Amino acid sequence: MHKIPVLLALGLMLVFSPFAHAQTLPEVMAQNADAIAKPSRQTIAPVIAAITATGDPAAAVVLAAWAEKGLGLRQDGQFFLIVDQGDSWALTDLSGAAAGTAAKGDITQLKPNSGVRGLIAGALVQFQLSDPDPARRIAALTAITRAPEKGHLAALRAAIKGEGDADILSQKQRLERLLTLQFDPDPAARIAAIDGFGSDIGLDLRAALNPLLASTRQAFATVPAGANIAQILTVGADLSAAEAYDLLVAASLAPARLLAEDARKSLESHIENGKVGGIAVADLGSQAARDAAYSALEAAGIVPAAATEAEVQAALSANIFADVYTEPNPQITSAAKAALGRIETRLAGMQALDLTLDGLSLASIYFLAAIGLAITFGVMRVINMAHGEFITMGAYTGYVVQLFVPNYTLSLIVALPLAFAITFGAGVLLERLVIRHLAKRPLETLLATFGISIALQQLFKNIFGTQARPLTSPAWLDGAFVMNDVVSISYIRIAIFGMALIFLGLFLLMMKRTALGLHVRAVTQNPAMAASMGINTARINMLTFGLGSGIAGVAGVAIGLFAKVTSELGSDYIVQSFMTVVVGGVGNIWGTLAGAGLIGFLQKGIEWFNPSNTLAAQTYMILFIILFIQIRPRGIIALKGRAAGD
């Protein structure tokens, strides 16, 4: 059953107010009944234009019904909107009034083909573009953008005049310029449209401009008048001799090249009295002689025309080769080339900005992952190989919280402090049971924490399995902040960047404004002197290790929002964390920040040059860091005090 949506019909009928016109809709339909009953794409276009030109509010309803096979023709020549009721049709006349029912044998259902439906859809655009509902107007613009046609241009220009919504007006004007540069026959209008885009770098604009600079490679005896030449080509530099001669053959400016095998067969088959083409067989030892013999046979019409090597070279020298724009107007191609040049310049700046945002995002992730390690390494000089597992522990904490708190925003609020508390406790426990008993024995500490790292990974596998567990971000973190087709950054990464700044501020506040921070700084610079001043260095070491582990847990929650939460999550970041600490400067928060920035930007820069091979990027980055440490072994910002003396 074919029904016209009531809302669509009402919306389309409200588009135009009644106004004076030469013919009414019923008159146009009656005069063109035969064409409407048996339409073709070639003959129906004027009829559709006449229906639209009536200005009748019902015109849009009739066209929409026709396209959906909801228009019928009665035997007396009257048109009706029809709805299938099984064995009969429910009728509505063109004014919208109910007209009863009719047997199916009395009504011919009009079924336009795809070509006619396309013309009807183009005519409906002008109604949809002026629909009172902004959503319908935007939908019409979207439909035109996906499949632009020449017929849309006039309707779009008409719809611009009465548009009251500033945003939709801007979209209409931009789309009108796109269609103008593609379909308008007036070169001046097309050039004005191209210049009107200004600093626009939209992908659809580039897609519209590039065909204007499409070219074909051609050969000429002389350059034809009016040809829009993109570039004159030099044989040997811009194209090979073989390619150039193929162009001559295609343009019928030269015969096909004479192949050695064809020449041999032709000469052998035309030997007469020991000669071929007047040249003795004994004298055919050189290529020049064989070419001369074939040319003689060719002149006599005995063999087909073919170019010898000498003739090929002569033809290449005598003709001109060029890339010719398919767009015949040179002013249009010049405007398109200038516009694409501006776009390329702006694109380079946008790509640099996008790369900067990516580098900042990655640097903030590395900073969060490394800040805890920097604290413990700087104060205790402990290489904690289990630091990555504290990150994993924090991520799994977030996952478990979401099992009990289905509200993702609330679960995130709960997970962050809980992850800190759990990993803080785990860090204190590790320091009490292991690290404290291996003081000043760095190799044993490294091996012990490495073993604990493996044990924790296996524990995570036993509890959570080997499959990745989801840590879902709140809805307000979905999507990305998009500036244009080039620059975008996900809201999750923006949130992580903000979190990194918050932790930096909190850490500085703690270190500068609290007694714990004062004691930590004292122990970091000179533990013996700090102990002599009454500071409990063992307690400070324990709290410091717990603090570093707690921050790692919070980093795990943040990282888990965009990375897969598995037992190996932390191991993916432990290497970068150590590199961040070492490059930045051991035990210095500003050094850690600088190290994270250097590594983040370096990695993204290398990936930009070689985006298909991230493993190579990691390798090059490590090599760079090795060289950097050779030049500056204490890092970007070297710590004063005990670290400086080690």
Side-chain angles (χ1 to χ4, degrees):
M1 182 169 64
H2 302 285
K3 294 184 178 181
I4 304 171
V6 176
L7 292 177
L8 172 62
L10 292 175
L12 294 176
M13 291 179 69
L14 290 172
V15 173
F16 296 112
S17 299
F19 55 88
H21 45 76
Q23 284 185 305
T24 65
L25 177 62
E27 290 172 347
V28 172
M29 299 284 287
Q31 290 177 6
N32 297 279
D34 292 339
I36 295 173
K38 296 180 180 180
S40 69
R41 189 177 178 89
Q42 289 73 27
T43 61
I44 203 63
V47 178
I48 295 175
I51 293 173
T52 305
T54 63
D56 193 318
V61 180
V62 171
L63 290 173
W66 187 10
E68 296 296 327
K69 303 177 184 178
L71 184 65
L73 178 63
R74 200 165 62 184
Q75 293 177 352
D76 61 0
Q78 294 293 313
F79 288 94
F80 295 92
L81 307 182
I82 59 175
V83 176
D84 193 349
Q85 290 189 333
D87 58 350
S88 64
W89 297 108
L91 306 181
T92 303
D93 65 23
L94 298 186
S95 66
T101 61
K104 287 199 170 180
D106 296 336
I107 300 292
T108 301
Q109 183 186 19
L110 304 184
K111 300 177 180 180
N113 59 33
S114 59
V116 174
R117 289 198 303 272
L119 292 175
I120 294 172
L124 284 172
V125 164
Q126 71 173 0
F127 296 97
Q128 296 162 347
L129 287 173
S130 301
D131 193 285
D133 185 356
R136 291 191 182 278
R137 301 202 297 277
I138 293 174
L141 292 173
T142 302
I144 295 174
T145 301
R146 290 174 179 169
E149 296 180 4
K150 185 176 181 179
H152 293 150
L153 184 55
L156 188 59
R157 286 172 174 169
I160 287 176
K161 298 176 182 177
E163 181 57 62
D165 187 299
D167 290 337
I168 298 179
L169 177 61
S170 176
Q171 293 182 47
K172 286 183 176 181
Q173 290 172 334
R174 185 178 186 279
L175 185 55
E176 187 271 336
R177 288 195 295 270
L178 277 174
L179 297 186
T180 297
L181 72 88
Q182 294 179 77
F183 301 117
D184 197 304
D186 182 7
R190 298 174 71 188
I191 294 171
I194 293 172
D195 294 337
F197 280 101
S199 59
D200 194 323
I201 60 170
L203 186 60
D204 54 351
L205 172 59
R206 285 174 271 161
L209 287 173
N210 281 319
L212 298 180
L213 297 180
S215 62
T216 57
R217 192 154 283 186
Q218 300 178 25
F220 312 100
T222 57
V223 178
N228 190 2
I229 302 297
Q231 179 186 6
I232 298 295
L233 305 174
T234 302
V235 178
D238 301 315
L239 74 169
S240 66
E243 292 172 332
Y245 197 78
D246 288 341
L247 291 175
L248 291 175
V249 174
S252 300
L253 294 175
R257 186 188 293 267
L258 177 62
L259 301 178
E261 182 63 20
D262 294 338
R264 183 183 63 80
K265 290 179 180 180
S266 296
L267 294 178
E268 288 178 351
S269 61
H270 293 89
I271 298 175
E272 294 182 2
N273 301 323
K275 293 183 178 182
V276 180
I279 300 176
V281 174
D283 296 332
L284 295 178
S286 66
Q287 185 62 47
R290 292 191 290 272
D291 289 345
Y294 190 90
S295 296
L297 295 176
E298 183 182 61
I302 300 174
V303 295
T308 64
E309 189 60 33
E311 291 170 337
V312 167
Q313 295 302 322
L316 292 176
S317 301
N319 291 281
I320 300 170
F321 305 91
D323 285 332
V324 182
Y325 288 121
T326 54
E327 167 58 52
N329 191 308
Q331 293 179 324
I332 292 176
T333 52
S334 296
K337 186 185 295 184
L340 283 172
R342 292 193 300 269
I343 289 174
E344 289 300 323
T345 301
R346 187 167 174 79
L347 275 178
M350 291 296 103
Q351 288 172 345
L353 176 59
D354 188 58
L355 188 63
T356 300
L357 291 177
D358 283 345
L360 281 174
S361 171
L362 190 60
S364 63
I365 293 170
Y366 287 163
F367 178 72
L368 274 179
I371 183 173
L373 188 64
I375 295 170
T376 56
F377 200 9
V379 175
M380 303 174 63
R381 307 296 289 168
V382 171
I383 302 176
N384 180 17
M385 296 299 295
H387 182 78
E389 279 53 57
F390 289 121
I391 294 176
T392 306
M393 193 180 299
Y396 275 125
T397 300
Y399 163 70
V400 172
V401 168
Q402 288 192 346
L403 295 179
F404 296 95
V405 183
N407 185 296
Y408 294 140
T409 300
L410 181 59
S411 66
L412 187 61
I413 295 173
V414 173
L416 288 171
L418 185 59
F420 179 86
I422 290 174
T423 50
F424 178 89
V428 169
L429 189 63
L430 177 60
E431 197 278 336
R432 285 276 187 172
L433 297 179
V434 179
I435 304 299
R436 177 170 298 188
H437 302 289
L438 298 175
K440 298 183 180 180
R441 294 155 65 185
L443 181 58
E444 287 86 343
T445 303
L446 186 150
L447 293 175
T449 54
F450 182 70
I452 292 170
S453 167
I454 296 174
L456 287 175
Q457 285 189 29
Q458 188 59 49
L459 180 62
F460 296 147
K461 290 178 182 178
N462 293 341
I463 297 174
F464 299 102
T466 56
Q467 293 184 341
R469 299 297 178 179
L471 182 53
T472 308
S473 62
W476 50 273
L477 286 180
D478 291 341
F481 174 73
V482 179
M483 291 183 59
N484 48 48
D485 292 335
V486 179
V487 181
S488 66
I489 183 170
S490 67
Y491 290 125
I492 290 179
R493 290 183 177 266
I494 294 175
I496 292 175
F497 178 74
M499 186 180 295
L501 292 179
I502 290 172
F503 265 93
L504 175 62
L506 290 176
F507 180 82
L508 292 175
L509 182 64
M510 184 199 74
M511 295 296 288
K512 300 292 185 181
R513 301 294 182 181
T514 66
L516 176 61
L518 177 62
H519 293 170
V520 168
R521 283 186 286 142
V523 173
T524 301
Q525 294 181 15
N526 195 321
M529 182 62 71
S532 68
M533 297 297 293
I535 297 175
N536 187 339
T537 57
R539 178 175 176 274
I540 294 300
N541 285 339
M542 178 191 70
L543 292 175
T544 301
F545 200 90
L547 178 63
S549 302
I551 294 175
V554 174
V557 176
I559 293 172
L561 292 175
F562 67 89
K564 294 180 179 180
V565 181
T566 66
S567 58
E568 288 83 18
L569 173 66
S571 60
D572 294 337
Y573 290 90
I574 187 65
V575 174
Q576 286 88 344
S577 297
F578 274 111
M579 288 193 298
T580 297
V581 172
V582 172
V583 169
V586 175
N588 189 302
I589 188 65
W590 295 110
T592 304
L593 184 63
L598 175 63
I599 293 175
F601 280 98
L602 179 63
Q603 181 171 334
K604 283 299 177 181
I606 296 174
E607 289 178 1
W608 184 77
F609 284 106
N610 191 10
S612 62
N613 193 339
T614 56
L615 181 60
Q618 295 277 359
T619 303
Y620 293 139
M621 183 177 66
I622 292 173
L623 290 175
F624 175 85
I625 290 172
I626 291 173
L627 293 175
F628 179 85
I629 293 174
Q630 298 300 314
I631 299 172
R632 197 172 179 85
R634 297 192 180 278
I636 299 174
I637 303 177
L639 185 67
K640 298 178 181 179
R642 181 181 69 174
D646 290 342

Short mmCIF file of all heavy atoms in Angstrom, two decimals, residues 556-581:
data_model
loop_
_atom_site.label_atom_id
_atom_site.label_comp_id
_atom_site.label_asym_id
_atom_site.label_seq_id
_atom_site.Cartn_x
_atom_site.Cartn_y
_atom_site.Cartn_z
N GLY A 556 45.99 4.81 35.29
CA GLY A 556 45.41 3.61 34.70
C GLY A 556 43.94 3.79 34.35
O GLY A 556 43.49 3.33 33.30
N VAL A 557 43.19 4.45 35.22
CA VAL A 557 41.78 4.72 34.92
C VAL A 557 41.67 5.59 33.67
O VAL A 557 40.85 5.32 32.78
CB VAL A 557 41.08 5.40 36.12
CG1 VAL A 557 39.65 5.77 35.75
CG2 VAL A 557 41.10 4.50 37.34
N ALA A 558 42.49 6.63 33.59
CA ALA A 558 42.45 7.53 32.44
C ALA A 558 42.83 6.80 31.15
O ALA A 558 42.16 6.93 30.12
CB ALA A 558 43.36 8.72 32.67
N ILE A 559 43.90 6.02 31.22
CA ILE A 559 44.36 5.31 30.02
C ILE A 559 43.35 4.26 29.60
O ILE A 559 43.13 4.01 28.41
CB ILE A 559 45.75 4.70 30.28
CG1 ILE A 559 46.80 5.81 30.46
CG2 ILE A 559 46.16 3.76 29.15
CD1 ILE A 559 48.16 5.31 30.92
N GLY A 560 42.73 3.61 30.59
CA GLY A 560 41.75 2.56 30.27
C GLY A 560 40.54 3.06 29.53
O GLY A 560 39.82 2.27 28.90
N LEU A 561 40.27 4.37 29.56
CA LEU A 561 39.10 4.91 28.86
C LEU A 561 39.25 4.83 27.34
O LEU A 561 38.25 4.84 26.63
CB LEU A 561 38.86 6.37 29.28
CG LEU A 561 38.40 6.59 30.72
CD1 LEU A 561 38.32 8.07 31.03
CD2 LEU A 561 37.05 5.92 30.97
N PHE A 562 40.48 4.77 26.83
CA PHE A 562 40.65 4.69 25.38
C PHE A 562 41.51 3.51 24.95
O PHE A 562 41.57 3.20 23.75
CB PHE A 562 41.28 5.99 24.84
CG PHE A 562 42.69 6.22 25.28
CD1 PHE A 562 43.76 5.72 24.55
CD2 PHE A 562 42.97 6.94 26.43
CE1 PHE A 562 45.05 5.94 24.96
CE2 PHE A 562 44.26 7.17 26.84
CZ PHE A 562 45.31 6.66 26.10
N ALA A 563 42.15 2.84 25.89
CA ALA A 563 42.99 1.68 25.55
C ALA A 563 42.30 0.40 26.03
O ALA A 563 41.40 0.44 26.88
CB ALA A 563 44.37 1.81 26.19
N LYS A 564 42.71 -0.73 25.51
CA LYS A 564 42.16 -2.01 25.93
C LYS A 564 42.70 -2.37 27.32
O LYS A 564 43.91 -2.34 27.54
CB LYS A 564 42.55 -3.10 24.93
CG LYS A 564 41.92 -2.92 23.56
CD LYS A 564 42.35 -4.03 22.61
CE LYS A 564 41.70 -3.86 21.24
NZ LYS A 564 42.12 -4.92 20.30
N VAL A 565 41.79 -2.71 28.22
CA VAL A 565 42.19 -3.06 29.58
C VAL A 565 42.50 -4.55 29.61
O VAL A 565 41.61 -5.39 29.64
CB VAL A 565 41.09 -2.70 30.59
CG1 VAL A 565 41.54 -3.06 32.00
CG2 VAL A 565 40.74 -1.23 30.50
N THR A 566 43.78 -4.87 29.60
CA THR A 566 44.25 -6.25 29.70
C THR A 566 45.35 -6.31 30.75
O THR A 566 45.78 -5.28 31.28
CB THR A 566 44.80 -6.76 28.35
OG1 THR A 566 45.98 -6.01 28.02
CG2 THR A 566 43.78 -6.58 27.24
N SER A 567 45.80 -7.51 31.02
CA SER A 567 46.86 -7.67 32.02
C SER A 567 48.17 -7.07 31.55
O SER A 567 49.06 -6.81 32.35
CB SER A 567 47.06 -9.16 32.34
OG SER A 567 47.37 -9.89 31.16
N GLU A 568 48.32 -6.84 30.24
CA GLU A 568 49.56 -6.26 29.69
C GLU A 568 49.45 -4.76 29.46
O GLU A 568 50.33 -4.16 28.85
CB GLU A 568 49.91 -6.93 28.35
CG GLU A 568 50.42 -8.35 28.46
CD GLU A 568 49.27 -9.34 28.56
OE1 GLU A 568 48.14 -8.97 28.20
OE2 GLU A 568 49.50 -10.48 29.01
N LEU A 569 48.37 -4.14 29.94
CA LEU A 569 48.19 -2.70 29.70
C LEU A 569 49.39 -1.90 30.20
O LEU A 569 49.92 -1.04 29.50
CB LEU A 569 46.91 -2.22 30.38
CG LEU A 569 46.66 -0.71 30.38
CD1 LEU A 569 46.44 -0.21 28.96
CD2 LEU A 569 45.47 -0.35 31.24
N GLY A 570 49.81 -2.15 31.43
CA GLY A 570 50.90 -1.38 32.01
C GLY A 570 52.22 -1.56 31.29
O GLY A 570 53.01 -0.62 31.17
N SER A 571 52.46 -2.79 30.81
CA SER A 571 53.74 -3.05 30.13
C SER A 571 53.86 -2.25 28.84
O SER A 571 54.96 -2.02 28.34
CB SER A 571 53.89 -4.54 29.83
OG SER A 571 52.84 -5.00 29.00
N ASP A 572 52.71 -1.81 28.28
CA ASP A 572 52.76 -0.99 27.07
C ASP A 572 53.27 0.42 27.35
O ASP A 572 53.64 1.14 26.42
CB ASP A 572 51.36 -0.90 26.44
CG ASP A 572 50.87 -2.24 25.92
OD1 ASP A 572 51.72 -3.10 25.63
OD2 ASP A 572 49.64 -2.42 25.81
N TYR A 573 53.27 0.82 28.62
CA TYR A 573 53.64 2.19 28.97
C TYR A 573 54.87 2.27 29.87
O TYR A 573 55.37 3.37 30.11
CB TYR A 573 52.46 2.89 29.67
CG TYR A 573 51.31 3.17 28.74
CD1 TYR A 573 50.29 2.25 28.57
CD2 TYR A 573 51.25 4.35 28.00
CE1 TYR A 573 49.23 2.49 27.71
CE2 TYR A 573 50.20 4.60 27.14
CZ TYR A 573 49.20 3.66 26.99
OH TYR A 573 48.16 3.90 26.13
N ILE A 574 55.37 1.13 30.35
CA ILE A 574 56.48 1.18 31.30
C ILE A 574 57.75 1.70 30.64
O ILE A 574 58.51 2.48 31.23
CB ILE A 574 56.71 -0.22 31.94
CG1 ILE A 574 57.74 -0.12 33.04
CG2 ILE A 574 57.08 -1.24 30.89
CD1 ILE A 574 57.30 0.71 34.22
N VAL A 575 58.00 1.29 29.38
CA VAL A 575 59.21 1.73 28.69
C VAL A 575 59.17 3.24 28.48
O VAL A 575 60.13 3.96 28.77
CB VAL A 575 59.38 0.99 27.35
CG1 VAL A 575 60.57 1.57 26.58
CG2 VAL A 575 59.57 -0.49 27.58
N GLN A 576 58.03 3.74 27.99
CA GLN A 576 57.91 5.19 27.78
C GLN A 576 57.99 5.96 29.10
O GLN A 576 58.51 7.07 29.13
CB GLN A 576 56.58 5.51 27.08
CG GLN A 576 56.55 5.14 25.60
CD GLN A 576 56.08 3.71 25.40
OE1 GLN A 576 56.07 2.91 26.34
NE2 GLN A 576 55.72 3.37 24.18
N SER A 577 57.47 5.35 30.17
CA SER A 577 57.55 6.01 31.48
C SER A 577 59.00 6.18 31.91
O SER A 577 59.41 7.25 32.38
CB SER A 577 56.77 5.21 32.52
OG SER A 577 55.40 5.15 32.19
N PHE A 578 59.79 5.13 31.80
CA PHE A 578 61.20 5.22 32.18
C PHE A 578 61.95 6.21 31.28
O PHE A 578 62.78 6.99 31.75
CB PHE A 578 61.86 3.84 32.11
CG PHE A 578 61.70 3.04 33.37
CD1 PHE A 578 60.90 1.92 33.40
CD2 PHE A 578 62.35 3.42 34.54
CE1 PHE A 578 60.75 1.18 34.56
CE2 PHE A 578 62.20 2.69 35.70
CZ PHE A 578 61.40 1.55 35.72
N MET A 579 61.64 6.17 29.98
CA MET A 579 62.29 7.11 29.07
C MET A 579 61.93 8.55 29.43
O MET A 579 62.77 9.44 29.38
CB MET A 579 61.90 6.80 27.62
CG MET A 579 62.53 5.54 27.07
SD MET A 579 62.38 5.38 25.28
CE MET A 579 60.61 5.33 25.10
N THR A 580 60.67 8.76 29.79
CA THR A 580 60.23 10.10 30.18
C THR A 580 61.00 10.59 31.39
O THR A 580 61.47 11.74 31.43
CB THR A 580 58.72 10.08 30.49
OG1 THR A 580 58.01 9.73 29.30
CG2 THR A 580 58.25 11.45 30.97
N VAL A 581 61.16 9.74 32.40
CA VAL A 581 61.85 10.13 33.62
C VAL A 581 63.33 10.39 33.36
O VAL A 581 63.91 11.39 33.81
CB VAL A 581 61.67 9.04 34.70
CG1 VAL A 581 62.54 9.33 35.91
CG2 VAL A 581 60.21 8.94 35.11
#
